[in-house]
Amino acid sequence: MAAMANASGGLIVYGVTEEGSAATGREDVALTEGLETQVRAAAASAVMPPLLGLEVEQVGTEPPRAIVVQVPPSEDAPPLDHPWRPVWRARAQRR
C-alpha cells in the first residue's frame, strides 16, 4: 500500500488497468476474506500513522469485479508506506 490517500481520506480502487497515469480498463479482482484481511493488516501495520476504520467493498458480482477501499479522513499527517525506507537508504549510501 503506497501513499494514495491524504488527510481528507479517499478511495483506493483495485482492479483498474492503467497505462502511464491513465485508466485504460478493468481487471477482475475478487474480494475474498483473506484478501480483505491482508488489506486491513497492511493498512494497520505497514503505514504510518496506521490506517484504521477502512471500508472494503466488492464492486460488481460478475467479472470484471473491482475492490474499493474507502480511507477515512484523519487529522494526522498524510499516511506513508514504510517510512523507515528513506532512513535505511540514507545510511546505506553513507557506507
Side-chain angles (χ1 to χ4, degrees):
M1 183 172 286
M4 294 182 271
N6 58 33
S8 299
L11 295 176
I12 301 170
V13 181
Y14 296 94
V16 176
T17 58
E18 62 182 286
E19 197 168 307
S21 60
T24 58
R26 290 186 51 190
E27 182 176 299
D28 186 48
V29 180
L31 181 60
T32 63
E33 187 176 321
L35 181 57
E36 183 173 351
T37 298
Q38 288 179 332
V39 168
R40 290 183 185 281
S45 64
V47 178
M48 289 301 292
L51 294 175
L52 305 173
L54 301 177
E55 290 186 34
V56 183
E57 298 180 25
Q58 179 81 57
V59 176
T61 56
E62 299 292 326
R65 297 163 292 188
I67 298 171
V68 174
V69 179
Q70 184 172 354
V71 179
S74 172
E75 291 187 21
D76 293 327
L80 299 172
D81 67 326
H82 306 291
W84 59 88
R85 283 186 182 162
V87 173
W88 178 83
R89 285 186 188 135
R91 287 182 184 157
Q93 290 173 354
R94 280 190 248 154
R95 292 182 183 177

